[in-house]
Amino acid sequence: MDLPFEPFLSNVHDNCSQVYYRTENIVTRLDKSVHDYKIAEGARNFQDRYRPTGNVTITGDIPFSSVHACLTATRNFITAVEHRGYGGYSFWCMDEALQELWPLLEDLPPAVS
């Protein structure tokens, strides 16, 4: 099925695509997502619209092996997004997020857009 991306994306403010990663490939997977979605965005300002969505679970679809692995991957994902200057990030499955994740997120400086 060919989704008509142009009419769809013209009504969407943020591109919050999921980035599927585990600890070893965060930057590689983020770069793949950027490459794939830049094509779909066409002439729109990708840098401002792209807000990737990462993983924060140790159960479910893409589980991390431990609390430590999840926290490390979360830090690495946030760092990679910030270094590339994207407008923000989010995480899926927050209902399954570890209690240990909240202090990490609370200690982050507020995003500047």
Side-chain angles (χ1 to χ4, degrees):
M1 178 174 141
D2 291 326
L3 177 69
F5 275 120
E6 194 58 40
F8 174 74
L9 290 175
S10 68
N11 292 297
V12 174
H13 185 270
D14 294 331
N15 181 335
C16 301
S17 55
Q18 290 182 334
V19 178
Y20 296 93
Y21 58 78
R22 299 235 178 148
T23 56
E24 69 276 7
N25 288 324
I26 292 169
V27 171
T28 301
R29 299 298 298 172
L30 179 62
D31 290 345
K32 179 184 181 335
S33 175
V34 168
H35 174 267
D36 293 348
Y37 282 95
K38 255 187 183 175
I39 295 167
E41 286 286 355
R44 283 174 291 279
N45 187 339
F46 183 80
Q47 196 74 16
D48 290 340
R49 290 171 51 94
Y50 185 69
R51 289 163 168 71
T53 303
N55 178 24
V56 291
T57 65
I58 60 169
T59 62
D61 293 343
I62 304 178
F64 287 102
S65 59
S66 68
V67 170
H68 175 74
C70 181
L71 296 177
T72 299
T74 301
R75 277 189 218 96
N76 291 341
F77 176 74
I78 292 168
T79 299
V81 170
E82 289 177 343
H83 281 142
R84 285 163 176 74
Y86 299 121
Y89 52 84
S90 62
F91 299 99
W92 80 83
C93 296
M94 291 302 286
D95 58 329
E96 297 176 12
L98 307 163
Q99 289 300 314
E100 294 88 347
L101 178 69
W102 299 109
L104 169 70
L105 297 178
E106 289 169 357
D107 288 343
L108 294 172
V112 177
S113 43

